[in-house]
Amino acid sequence: MTAQRGSTPGGPAASAVSRRCFLRRSATAAGAIVVGFDPSTRAWAAAGQQTGSLARGFPAFDGALRTDAGARLAVADDFGHLVHRRPMAVLEPGSVEDIARLIRFAARHGISVAARGEGHSAFGQSQVRGGVVIDMRRLARVHRIDAASVEADAGVTWRTLLDATLERGLTPPVLTDYQDLSLGGTLSVGGIGGAGLRHGAQVDNVLALDVVTGEGLRVRCSRTRSPLLFDAVLAGRGQCGVITRAVLKLIPAPAAVRLFDLLYVDLAAFAADARIVVRDGRFDTVQGLVVPSPAGGWAYLLEATSSTGRADDELLAGLRDVRSEAAISDMPFAAYAKRLDPIVEAQQASGDWARPHPWVGAWLPDRHAEAFAGRVLSELTLRDTGGGPILLYPTRSQAFTRPLLRVPAGELIWQFSILRTTLATTAPAEEMVSDNRVLLARARRVGGIDYPVGAAPASQREWARHYGRAWPAFLRAKRRYDPQRILAPGQGIFTPLGRP
Ligand SMILES: Cc1cc2nc3c(=O)[nH]c(=O)nc-3n(C[C@H](O)[C@H](O)[C@H](O)COP(=O)(O)OP(=O)(O)OC[C@H]3O[C@@H](n4cnc5c(N)ncnc54)[C@H](O)[C@@H]3O)c2cc1C
C-alpha cells in the first residue's frame, strides 16, 4: 500500500494516481505513487516498491486513486453504522472516463467495485471489502435545465438539484423526505416520497441515463434506447452499471403549499381517511406517521399537502371530524421540501445521527395493511424503535412502473417503515436487525415486499424471490452488462454476501 501526499484538492494526505502526478515524478517525500496492480498479491504497487509482475494496462486517472487508510476507512461505514467493509482503494474520479478506465481494469482482474453517493445506506450497500469504492460526489454538476427536464451528474444531491430547478420555478415530481441523498443513490433503490400517488417513485421520472457498465462501456439508455440496461439500472442497486448522469423530468413547482396534519387515535379511522384521499387525489402529496400517543400506545398522523388553493372544507370533506385535531399551516414549497432539516440538525447536535440505524421498510398490499401494521405496532415499544419515525401510508400503485422497484399488486399499496435508532435504552442493534428479518418474513406471508434500503441481510435465494417475475430479465442484464460480477457486491444479490 502506498502513501503519497494528497494531490486531491482540499483532501488529506493521500495515496493517489492522477494523470498530472503520474507524468510528474513518481515518488514524493511522503511516500510513493500507485503505479500498478500486482495480480499475484492482489495489492496496489507503489513506485520504487519491489513487486512481482505488474498487470499490464494500469490506467492513468484524471482524478485520484487513493489507498490511504483515511480514505478507505471513510467509505467502510455508512448511515447505518452496522457494516464495515474496507476497500483496498477509493477512486475520486476526475472524469466519467476515469470510472470507465477503473472498471475496465477491475473487470480484467476480478476486482469488485461499488459506487457510493452520500453513503446513506443502512447496511453496507455501497461498501466493498477488498475492492474499489468510487466516490461519486466528485462528479456533481447540474449541466442543463429546460422547461421540462434537467440533466445532472449522479453525484449531485437532490438538495442541489432542487435549489437549481426552483430558480426556474420547476421541481422534480417526486422528492424524498430528506434531500441530502445523491441522484445515483436514490435512483439505484427507487426514491419514494409523498407525491407517489401521482408520480410513482423518482425512478419513474427518469428520461435517460448515462451508465458505465461492468465492462467499462459508456452507454446512454432510456425506455427506448438499450431498454434492458435502463430497466436493470433503475432501482437496480448498482448491479449492472454505475449511473454517471441522469436526465430527469421536471414539473412546475408550486410557490407554496398548505400542509394538513390530521391526528387520529384510531388506526381504522386513519386508514379509512387515508384511503379516501389517496383514491380521489384531492391532495398533491399524502404520507402518514405513527407517533406515540399522549394517552399511551400509538396515534396516527395523516400528513397531506395541497397547492391548489381549494378551501379547507372542500379538502377535508367526507373525512371523519378531524377538525379539532387538525393542524393546518402554509409554507413556501422549498420549506416544505426541506421540512426535515431542523430535525436532522437536532439529531446531529445530540449525537443520535451518528448512532446505528437498523432501518426496515416494506410495501404492504391494501387488504392486509391495516391488520398487519396493527399487529406489529401492538408489539412494538420505544425499546424497539429508539423513538425513530414510523411511516405508514397508502399510495397508488399505478404510477410505479419500473420493473425492479417491486411493489404488491392492487390499486393501493402501503408503505410501512420502522426507522430504528439504537440508543443506550434500546435493544442492541443486532437484535433489531434480527427483528427486521422476522418482520419482513411476516410481511411476505401477507403479500408484502421489502423496500430494501434498510438493514436486513438477504440470501441470494431471497433476492431472487424478491424480484419475482423481474428476476430473469435482471439476471440476463447482469450476465450481459457485468459478466465478471464485479459491481456492488455489498448486497449479496448475485454473489454470496461475505462477513459484515
Ligand atoms: C435520513 C435519510 C432519509 C431517507 N429518506 C428517504 C426517502 O424519503 N425516500 C426514499 O426512498 N429513501 C430514503 N432514504 C433511503 C435512501 O434513499 C437510500 O439509502 C439511498 O440509496 C441513499 O442514497 P446515497 O446517495 O446515500 O447512496 P449510497 O448509500 O451511497 O448508495 C446506495 C446504493 O446505491 C448504489 N449507488 C450509489 N450511487 C450510484 C451510482 N451513481 N450508480 C450506481 N449505483 C449507485 C450504491 O452502490 C449502493 O448500492 C433515506 C435515507 C436516510 C439516511
PDB file of all heavy atoms in Angstrom, residues 462-478:
ATOM      1  N   GLU A 462     -33.379 -15.369  -1.442  1.00  0.00           N
ATOM      2  CA  GLU A 462     -34.383 -14.373  -1.040  1.00  0.00           C
ATOM      3  C   GLU A 462     -34.438 -13.213  -2.034  1.00  0.00           C
ATOM      4  O   GLU A 462     -35.505 -12.684  -2.331  1.00  0.00           O
ATOM      5  CB  GLU A 462     -34.090 -13.865   0.376  1.00  0.00           C
ATOM      6  CG  GLU A 462     -34.455 -14.878   1.441  1.00  0.00           C
ATOM      7  CD  GLU A 462     -33.886 -14.544   2.840  1.00  0.00           C
ATOM      8  OE1 GLU A 462     -32.772 -13.976   2.929  1.00  0.00           O
ATOM      9  OE2 GLU A 462     -34.554 -14.880   3.811  1.00  0.00           O
ATOM     10  N   TRP A 463     -33.276 -12.814  -2.544  1.00  0.00           N
ATOM     11  CA  TRP A 463     -33.271 -11.744  -3.548  1.00  0.00           C
ATOM     12  C   TRP A 463     -34.040 -12.185  -4.799  1.00  0.00           C
ATOM     13  O   TRP A 463     -34.822 -11.423  -5.358  1.00  0.00           O
ATOM     14  CB  TRP A 463     -31.840 -11.362  -3.931  1.00  0.00           C
ATOM     15  CG  TRP A 463     -31.192 -10.399  -2.992  1.00  0.00           C
ATOM     16  CD1 TRP A 463     -30.098 -10.640  -2.199  1.00  0.00           C
ATOM     17  CD2 TRP A 463     -31.571  -9.036  -2.730  1.00  0.00           C
ATOM     18  NE1 TRP A 463     -29.792  -9.513  -1.467  1.00  0.00           N
ATOM     19  CE2 TRP A 463     -30.674  -8.517  -1.765  1.00  0.00           C
ATOM     20  CE3 TRP A 463     -32.585  -8.214  -3.209  1.00  0.00           C
ATOM     21  CZ2 TRP A 463     -30.758  -7.213  -1.289  1.00  0.00           C
ATOM     22  CZ3 TRP A 463     -32.674  -6.908  -2.738  1.00  0.00           C
ATOM     23  CH2 TRP A 463     -31.773  -6.426  -1.789  1.00  0.00           C
ATOM     24  N   ALA A 464     -33.789 -13.437  -5.244  1.00  0.00           N
ATOM     25  CA  ALA A 464     -34.476 -13.927  -6.451  1.00  0.00           C
ATOM     26  C   ALA A 464     -35.982 -13.892  -6.213  1.00  0.00           C
ATOM     27  O   ALA A 464     -36.758 -13.482  -7.084  1.00  0.00           O
ATOM     28  CB  ALA A 464     -34.003 -15.333  -6.788  1.00  0.00           C
ATOM     29  N   ARG A 465     -36.405 -14.288  -5.002  1.00  0.00           N
ATOM     30  CA  ARG A 465     -37.827 -14.257  -4.671  1.00  0.00           C
ATOM     31  C   ARG A 465     -38.332 -12.810  -4.625  1.00  0.00           C
ATOM     32  O   ARG A 465     -39.416 -12.494  -5.077  1.00  0.00           O
ATOM     33  CB  ARG A 465     -38.049 -14.945  -3.320  1.00  0.00           C
ATOM     34  CG  ARG A 465     -39.344 -15.743  -3.298  1.00  0.00           C
ATOM     35  CD  ARG A 465     -39.573 -16.468  -1.985  1.00  0.00           C
ATOM     36  NE  ARG A 465     -38.501 -17.344  -1.579  1.00  0.00           N
ATOM     37  CZ  ARG A 465     -38.033 -17.429  -0.328  1.00  0.00           C
ATOM     38  NH1 ARG A 465     -38.509 -16.663   0.626  1.00  0.00           N
ATOM     39  NH2 ARG A 465     -37.071 -18.278  -0.018  1.00  0.00           N
ATOM     40  N   HIS A 466     -37.489 -11.925  -4.081  1.00  0.00           N
ATOM     41  CA  HIS A 466     -37.876 -10.512  -4.003  1.00  0.00           C
ATOM     42  C   HIS A 466     -38.189  -9.962  -5.395  1.00  0.00           C
ATOM     43  O   HIS A 466     -39.187  -9.269  -5.599  1.00  0.00           O
ATOM     44  CB  HIS A 466     -36.740  -9.705  -3.363  1.00  0.00           C
ATOM     45  CG  HIS A 466     -36.914  -8.219  -3.465  1.00  0.00           C
ATOM     46  ND1 HIS A 466     -37.705  -7.510  -2.603  1.00  0.00           N
ATOM     47  CD2 HIS A 466     -36.430  -7.317  -4.356  1.00  0.00           C
ATOM     48  CE1 HIS A 466     -37.697  -6.227  -2.952  1.00  0.00           C
ATOM     49  NE2 HIS A 466     -36.921  -6.089  -4.005  1.00  0.00           N
ATOM     50  N   TYR A 467     -37.324 -10.273  -6.350  1.00  0.00           N
ATOM     51  CA  TYR A 467     -37.530  -9.698  -7.687  1.00  0.00           C
ATOM     52  C   TYR A 467     -38.619 -10.410  -8.482  1.00  0.00           C
ATOM     53  O   TYR A 467     -39.130  -9.879  -9.473  1.00  0.00           O
ATOM     54  CB  TYR A 467     -36.198  -9.652  -8.450  1.00  0.00           C
ATOM     55  CG  TYR A 467     -35.315  -8.543  -7.927  1.00  0.00           C
ATOM     56  CD1 TYR A 467     -34.171  -8.808  -7.183  1.00  0.00           C
ATOM     57  CD2 TYR A 467     -35.666  -7.219  -8.128  1.00  0.00           C
ATOM     58  CE1 TYR A 467     -33.389  -7.782  -6.665  1.00  0.00           C
ATOM     59  CE2 TYR A 467     -34.901  -6.184  -7.624  1.00  0.00           C
ATOM     60  CZ  TYR A 467     -33.759  -6.473  -6.893  1.00  0.00           C
ATOM     61  OH  TYR A 467     -33.004  -5.453  -6.384  1.00  0.00           O
ATOM     62  N   GLY A 468     -38.964 -11.637  -8.085  1.00  0.00           N
ATOM     63  CA  GLY A 468     -40.102 -12.342  -8.684  1.00  0.00           C
ATOM     64  C   GLY A 468     -40.007 -12.411 -10.194  1.00  0.00           C
ATOM     65  O   GLY A 468     -38.987 -12.807 -10.754  1.00  0.00           O
ATOM     66  N   ARG A 469     -41.070 -11.945 -10.863  1.00  0.00           N
ATOM     67  CA  ARG A 469     -41.069 -12.099 -12.332  1.00  0.00           C
ATOM     68  C   ARG A 469     -40.059 -11.176 -13.014  1.00  0.00           C
ATOM     69  O   ARG A 469     -39.768 -11.330 -14.192  1.00  0.00           O
ATOM     70  CB  ARG A 469     -42.474 -11.944 -12.912  1.00  0.00           C
ATOM     71  CG  ARG A 469     -43.122 -10.622 -12.634  1.00  0.00           C
ATOM     72  CD  ARG A 469     -44.598 -10.669 -13.002  1.00  0.00           C
ATOM     73  NE  ARG A 469     -45.336  -9.636 -12.308  1.00  0.00           N
ATOM     74  CZ  ARG A 469     -45.287  -8.337 -12.609  1.00  0.00           C
ATOM     75  NH1 ARG A 469     -44.561  -7.922 -13.613  1.00  0.00           N
ATOM     76  NH2 ARG A 469     -45.975  -7.461 -11.911  1.00  0.00           N
ATOM     77  N   ALA A 470     -39.494 -10.219 -12.275  1.00  0.00           N
ATOM     78  CA  ALA A 470     -38.467  -9.354 -12.881  1.00  0.00           C
ATOM     79  C   ALA A 470     -37.079 -10.017 -12.820  1.00  0.00           C
ATOM     80  O   ALA A 470     -36.132  -9.524 -13.438  1.00  0.00           O
ATOM     81  CB  ALA A 470     -38.420  -8.018 -12.151  1.00  0.00           C
ATOM     82  N   TRP A 471     -36.961 -11.104 -12.076  1.00  0.00           N
ATOM     83  CA  TRP A 471     -35.647 -11.711 -11.857  1.00  0.00           C
ATOM     84  C   TRP A 471     -34.977 -12.199 -13.152  1.00  0.00           C
ATOM     85  O   TRP A 471     -33.791 -11.906 -13.377  1.00  0.00           O
ATOM     86  CB  TRP A 471     -35.779 -12.850 -10.821  1.00  0.00           C
ATOM     87  CG  TRP A 471     -34.501 -13.564 -10.532  1.00  0.00           C
ATOM     88  CD1 TRP A 471     -34.182 -14.847 -10.885  1.00  0.00           C
ATOM     89  CD2 TRP A 471     -33.337 -13.055  -9.836  1.00  0.00           C
ATOM     90  NE1 TRP A 471     -32.929 -15.177 -10.448  1.00  0.00           N
ATOM     91  CE2 TRP A 471     -32.393 -14.097  -9.809  1.00  0.00           C
ATOM     92  CE3 TRP A 471     -33.031 -11.825  -9.253  1.00  0.00           C
ATOM     93  CZ2 TRP A 471     -31.143 -13.940  -9.206  1.00  0.00           C
ATOM     94  CZ3 TRP A 471     -31.788 -11.676  -8.649  1.00  0.00           C
ATOM     95  CH2 TRP A 471     -30.866 -12.728  -8.638  1.00  0.00           C
ATOM     96  N   PRO A 472     -35.683 -12.939 -14.053  1.00  0.00           N
ATOM     97  CA  PRO A 472     -34.993 -13.443 -15.261  1.00  0.00           C
ATOM     98  C   PRO A 472     -34.360 -12.316 -16.088  1.00  0.00           C
ATOM     99  O   PRO A 472     -33.222 -12.439 -16.539  1.00  0.00           O
ATOM    100  CB  PRO A 472     -36.104 -14.162 -16.034  1.00  0.00           C
ATOM    101  CG  PRO A 472     -37.113 -14.547 -14.982  1.00  0.00           C
ATOM    102  CD  PRO A 472     -37.064 -13.440 -13.961  1.00  0.00           C
ATOM    103  N   ALA A 473     -35.070 -11.204 -16.257  1.00  0.00           N
ATOM    104  CA  ALA A 473     -34.507 -10.099 -17.057  1.00  0.00           C
ATOM    105  C   ALA A 473     -33.336  -9.455 -16.321  1.00  0.00           C
ATOM    106  O   ALA A 473     -32.333  -9.052 -16.940  1.00  0.00           O
ATOM    107  CB  ALA A 473     -35.573  -9.055 -17.362  1.00  0.00           C
ATOM    108  N   PHE A 474     -33.443  -9.364 -14.997  1.00  0.00           N
ATOM    109  CA  PHE A 474     -32.351  -8.771 -14.196  1.00  0.00           C
ATOM    110  C   PHE A 474     -31.095  -9.650 -14.340  1.00  0.00           C
ATOM    111  O   PHE A 474     -29.988  -9.143 -14.563  1.00  0.00           O
ATOM    112  CB  PHE A 474     -32.810  -8.689 -12.734  1.00  0.00           C
ATOM    113  CG  PHE A 474     -32.004  -7.763 -11.857  1.00  0.00           C
ATOM    114  CD1 PHE A 474     -31.175  -6.781 -12.375  1.00  0.00           C
ATOM    115  CD2 PHE A 474     -32.105  -7.865 -10.470  1.00  0.00           C
ATOM    116  CE1 PHE A 474     -30.447  -5.918 -11.539  1.00  0.00           C
ATOM    117  CE2 PHE A 474     -31.387  -7.018  -9.617  1.00  0.00           C
ATOM    118  CZ  PHE A 474     -30.555  -6.055 -10.167  1.00  0.00           C
ATOM    119  N   LEU A 475     -31.303 -10.955 -14.248  1.00  0.00           N
ATOM    120  CA  LEU A 475     -30.188 -11.898 -14.378  1.00  0.00           C
ATOM    121  C   LEU A 475     -29.561 -11.801 -15.777  1.00  0.00           C
ATOM    122  O   LEU A 475     -28.338 -11.802 -15.942  1.00  0.00           O
ATOM    123  CB  LEU A 475     -30.740 -13.309 -14.124  1.00  0.00           C
ATOM    124  CG  LEU A 475     -29.770 -14.439 -13.882  1.00  0.00           C
ATOM    125  CD1 LEU A 475     -28.852 -14.132 -12.709  1.00  0.00           C
ATOM    126  CD2 LEU A 475     -30.545 -15.740 -13.599  1.00  0.00           C
ATOM    127  N   ARG A 476     -30.433 -11.670 -16.782  1.00  0.00           N
ATOM    128  CA  ARG A 476     -29.941 -11.544 -18.170  1.00  0.00           C
ATOM    129  C   ARG A 476     -29.105 -10.275 -18.297  1.00  0.00           C
ATOM    130  O   ARG A 476     -28.016 -10.271 -18.873  1.00  0.00           O
ATOM    131  CB  ARG A 476     -31.155 -11.490 -19.104  1.00  0.00           C
ATOM    132  CG  ARG A 476     -30.874 -12.122 -20.434  1.00  0.00           C
ATOM    133  CD  ARG A 476     -32.065 -12.389 -21.314  1.00  0.00           C
ATOM    134  NE  ARG A 476     -32.987 -11.288 -21.492  1.00  0.00           N
ATOM    135  CZ  ARG A 476     -34.230 -11.278 -21.020  1.00  0.00           C
ATOM    136  NH1 ARG A 476     -34.682 -12.312 -20.341  1.00  0.00           N
ATOM    137  NH2 ARG A 476     -35.024 -10.243 -21.235  1.00  0.00           N
ATOM    138  N   ALA A 477     -29.601  -9.192 -17.707  1.00  0.00           N
ATOM    139  CA  ALA A 477     -28.870  -7.922 -17.784  1.00  0.00           C
ATOM    140  C   ALA A 477     -27.540  -8.032 -17.036  1.00  0.00           C
ATOM    141  O   ALA A 477     -26.515  -7.516 -17.488  1.00  0.00           O
ATOM    142  CB  ALA A 477     -29.728  -6.803 -17.197  1.00  0.00           C
ATOM    143  N   LYS A 478     -27.540  -8.711 -15.914  1.00  0.00           N
ATOM    144  CA  LYS A 478     -26.297  -8.875 -15.139  1.00  0.00           C
ATOM    145  C   LYS A 478     -25.274  -9.636 -15.985  1.00  0.00           C
ATOM    146  O   LYS A 478     -24.104  -9.242 -16.077  1.00  0.00           O
ATOM    147  CB  LYS A 478     -26.597  -9.635 -13.839  1.00  0.00           C
ATOM    148  CG  LYS A 478     -25.392  -9.816 -12.935  1.00  0.00           C
ATOM    149  CD  LYS A 478     -24.989  -8.523 -12.255  1.00  0.00           C
ATOM    150  CE  LYS A 478     -23.876  -8.726 -11.224  1.00  0.00           C
ATOM    151  NZ  LYS A 478     -23.412  -7.458 -10.651  1.00  0.00           N
TER     152      LYS A 478
END
